[in-house]
Amino acid sequence: MHIVLDRDSCRSDTRLIHHIARLLRAANVPSVQDIVPGSTSVLIAFHDSAVDPDEVENIIHDLLSRVESSFTNHSTPPLAVIPVCYDPEFAPDLPDIALASNLSAAEVVALHTGVEYDVLFLGFQPGFAYLTGLPASLHTPRLRTPRPHVEPGSVGIADDRTGIYPSASPGGWRLIGRTPLRMFDATRQPPALLDFGQRVRFVSISRAEFDSIMQSERFP
Amino acid sequence: MIALRIIDPGMLTTVQDAGRPGFASLGVPPSGAANPLALLIGNRILGNDLNAAALEATMIGPTFECLASLSLCIIGASVPHAYIERGGTRTPLRPGVATALSVGDRVCIGPTGSSSRCLICLHGGIACQTVLTSRSTLLSTAFGGHMGRALRAEDLLEITSATFLPLVPPGPSHDAHVWLEHLLERRTLRILPGMHDNLLASTTASSLTQAQFRVSSQSSRMGIRLIGDVMSLADFDGRLPSEPTVTGAVQVPPDGQPIILGPDRPTTGGYPMIATVIEADWPVLASLKPADQITFQWVDIASARRAFDTQQAQCLSFFD
């Protein structure tokens, strides 16, 4: 069952999507396996065989009818602070972004670390968080040809989004730094450091600090 | 206890159980046996927990040596050349039945045959670490299963010591295997409208069911790539905001060649999802081979539910 929000509805879609997802999680609807927020929709995956599917749909519709009244814009989402080293070794695409936006490398870093981002949702890879709120002057299209290998912890920019690759993979985002934090670890609780609805702030650290945190994280 | 030593891993063999649904909001796909029916039948035949982990073999299965007394069942493919070598003598290994093996026996699966994948179920189930509630392997992020990777030569695998139940004799259980083989012959995939079916021009929607598609060798547990007439979508430039995906979702990337998403898929995607293959046909998806031809058929939700419920009931009836 895929709930798609009306695309013409109000601008605070993201908050509404998160609210719906949280409401559904808390309701513990029988036989619901997964609640997955997306850009304009929430996927509710449930296993038909256990419970009468029509009954489950009724429960969900009932919950949704109460969404508006329980929706408040006043809650303060938790803030996650992510240390990032913006040294040239970790930022192969930073010079291009600086050039394109007519800024110095230091100014790009100041802009990237100067705002708070919202986690839209996780997808693409385990623990990969799509962040919204990137300053307009840093908006840059993806690489035409993706790199065959991007190191875990790489911080990138693509169009109006920024994000962190939790694992090694091919990648087309423009790389501007690296975090020593392990963004996803299947054996840890919680497995992913970020969840939808969180706020995120980046903080610039030195190479020495990066190495020291990496050491204590025991990155494989 | 250590049960077997891999001599030849075959093309791609991984540990899979029933998977880990429930973590898609973290970006973790469900993984698990691509053919859930095969896992159900194989584990039932052996008297296992239904979630017991098995080896999923692809195209060419593994060869291994038994280091302990075992009982196994191959399910999901015909494996026409599978054999056991014992003291210099080879005996054929039949799928769909529980087979007792002794220390020193060498098992060679060989080509899977009619189906691209088969499961090698073991009594007690493969014992490896549980990660995020499951023993299934996620290759893309290298966790779960046997060290997060496909099996290699010299790998040693353990099974959970289980009280040895009497073997289920050939008869009802073999019928389950025959029933499954017949089910896997289907080449018409039943589909429901997908999230973005509004992008399908009415001409494309009907031509979708008239077209034949060929399975590409560029297919994997992440998705099946299809080759056929280029699909055009009305009024559309190729990208959408990312939305959650499901197994069986039919995506149309800019090149117009559809992809059917599999159990290891990325959990969100920006390509239009125009249809979803119904769950009753996921076993067929798991068994498709490169060059297989498929067609699509639109069905409604009631039919999809009926097909799944009937299939489950029929499967379980073999074990009453």
Side-chain angles (χ1 to χ4, degrees):
Chain A
M1 184 190 197
H2 213 148
I3 301 171
V4 184
L5 291 201
D6 181 356
R7 286 178 183 86
D8 297 329
S9 70
C10 66
R11 220 213 54 80
S12 57
D13 267 355
T14 310
R15 294 276 160 102
L16 187 59
I17 288 177
H18 293 165
H19 177 67
I20 290 172
R22 267 187 224 105
L23 206 67
L24 290 165
R25 259 187 194 172
N28 263 315
V29 182
S31 86
V32 168
Q33 277 183 336
D34 243 328
I35 295 162
V36 193
S39 296
T40 67
S41 68
V42 179
L43 173 71
I44 306 170
F46 61 102
H47 215 261
D48 282 9
S49 53
V51 171
D52 174 13
D54 293 318
E55 202 184 295
V56 177
E57 278 196 49
N58 287 340
I59 295 174
I60 292 172
H61 280 299
D62 184 58
L63 278 168
L64 290 177
S65 69
R66 287 186 267 131
V67 157
E68 293 297 335
S69 57
S70 58
F71 182 39
T72 161
N73 245 321
H74 303 308
S75 60
T76 318
L79 175 72
V81 177
I82 312 273
V84 176
C85 180
Y86 293 92
D87 273 18
E89 186 194 332
F90 298 145
D93 298 319
L94 214 164
D96 284 338
I97 293 175
L99 201 66
S101 53
N102 217 358
L103 300 164
S104 68
E107 282 167 329
V108 170
V109 173
L111 276 172
H112 194 251
T113 56
V115 297
E116 269 180 17
Y117 302 87
D118 288 319
V119 178
L120 278 175
F121 53 85
L122 273 63
F124 162 63
Q125 254 190 5
F128 186 99
Y130 285 88
L131 304 179
T132 189
L134 184 70
S137 47
L138 297 184
H139 292 192
T140 322
R142 282 172 169 70
L143 293 173
R144 255 212 199 94
T145 313
R147 288 187 171 84
H149 178 89
V150 169
E151 278 294 304
S154 293
V155 178
I157 287 175
D159 302 318
D160 60 342
R161 301 276 164 86
T162 187
I164 308 164
Y165 286 91
S167 316
S169 82
W173 289 41
R174 307 247 181 193
L175 305 182
I176 59 166
R178 201 175 300 175
T179 179
L181 296 185
R182 208 186 294 198
M183 301 304 296
F184 180 81
D185 181 340
T187 61
R188 179 186 62 198
Q189 190 52 244
L193 285 188
L194 297 177
D195 196 6
F196 67 81
Q198 264 183 299
R199 292 173 301 141
V200 174
R201 197 176 188 102
F202 295 106
V203 147
S204 177
I205 58 171
S206 68
R207 182 57 196 267
E209 286 169 311
F210 177 92
D211 289 338
S212 143
I213 298 173
M214 275 283 264
Q215 193 90 319
S216 58
E217 286 271 302
R218 270 165 311 166
F219 218 107
Chain B
M1 90 187 151
I2 298 214
L4 51 97
R5 178 178 70 90
I6 302 293
I7 295 168
D8 184 316
M11 183 181 280
L12 177 68
T13 305
T14 57
V15 176
Q16 301 292 343
D17 59 13
R20 53 176 73 83
F23 295 98
S25 61
L26 297 182
V28 180
S31 299
N35 186 341
L37 266 188
L39 186 70
L40 184 62
I41 294 171
N43 278 334
R44 271 285 184 150
I45 286 173
L46 292 171
N48 276 348
D49 187 277
L50 295 183
N51 190 36
L55 298 183
E56 181 182 83
T58 317
M59 295 304 286
I60 301 189
T63 299
F64 56 87
E65 181 191 356
C66 300
L67 303 177
S69 296
L70 303 176
S71 166
L72 74 58
C73 176
I74 302 174
I75 189 83
S78 56
V79 291
H81 307 293
Y83 64 83
I84 305 166
E85 193 172 299
R86 180 181 291 165
T89 316
R90 289 184 181 184
T91 37
L93 180 55
R94 287 169 67 206
V97 293
T99 306
L101 299 167
S102 317
V103 178
D105 285 351
R106 181 178 279 224
V107 174
C108 178
I109 306 293
T112 49
S114 51
S115 185
S116 62
R117 294 194 178 92
C118 72
L119 288 177
I120 303 156
C121 297
L122 294 167
H123 185 68
I126 304 278
C128 56
Q129 200 189 12
T130 297
V131 179
L132 285 176
T133 77
S134 165
R135 294 188 166 91
S136 295
T137 314
L138 181 58
L139 291 169
S140 59
T141 319
F143 72 81
H146 183 77
M147 310 209 286
R149 58 167 174 77
L151 297 186
R152 292 178 197 155
E154 300 307 314
D155 278 345
L156 297 174
L157 294 171
E158 294 186 48
I159 56 170
T160 307
S161 302
T163 317
F164 279 84
L165 300 168
L167 297 178
V168 179
S173 55
H174 189 68
D175 288 347
H177 161 72
V178 170
W179 171 80
L180 181 63
E181 273 214 321
H182 185 65
L183 193 150
L184 294 178
E185 287 167 6
R186 165 182 284 277
R187 289 293 175 265
T188 301
L189 300 175
R190 291 166 288 186
I191 51 176
L192 289 167
M195 185 182 167
H196 300 118
D197 67 326
N198 56 301
L199 291 175
L200 270 181
S202 57
T203 46
T204 322
S206 52
S207 67
L208 182 62
T209 53
Q210 276 142 37
Q212 272 219 322
F213 295 90
R214 200 172 79 245
V215 173
S216 161
S217 57
Q218 302 285 308
S219 299
S220 69
R221 286 176 50 87
M222 285 179 71
I224 297 170
R225 287 185 176 265
L226 298 175
I227 301 166
D229 288 339
V230 168
M231 290 195 56
S232 63
L233 301 177
D235 282 333
F236 182 63
D237 65 359
R239 287 216 65 123
L240 287 173
S242 292
E243 303 292 357
T245 58
V246 291
T247 299
V250 182
Q251 280 184 326
V252 183
D255 66 2
Q257 302 290 274
I259 301 171
I260 308 176
L261 296 180
D264 287 357
R265 64 180 183 284
T267 53
T268 59
Y271 296 143
M273 291 178 280
I274 51 153
T276 312
V277 175
I278 71 171
E279 194 168 351
D281 287 346
W282 292 1
V284 176
L285 293 181
S287 71
L288 289 175
K289 302 169 79 159
D292 277 347
Q293 304 265 31
I294 58 108
T295 54
F296 291 107
Q297 177 196 358
W298 293 106
V299 296
D300 59 26
I301 296 210
S303 313
R305 281 181 185 163
R306 241 186 343 261
F308 180 76
D309 289 342
T310 307
Q311 198 182 71
Q312 291 288 299
Q314 280 177 337
C315 179
L316 295 175
S317 72
F318 291 109
F319 302 98
D320 285 339

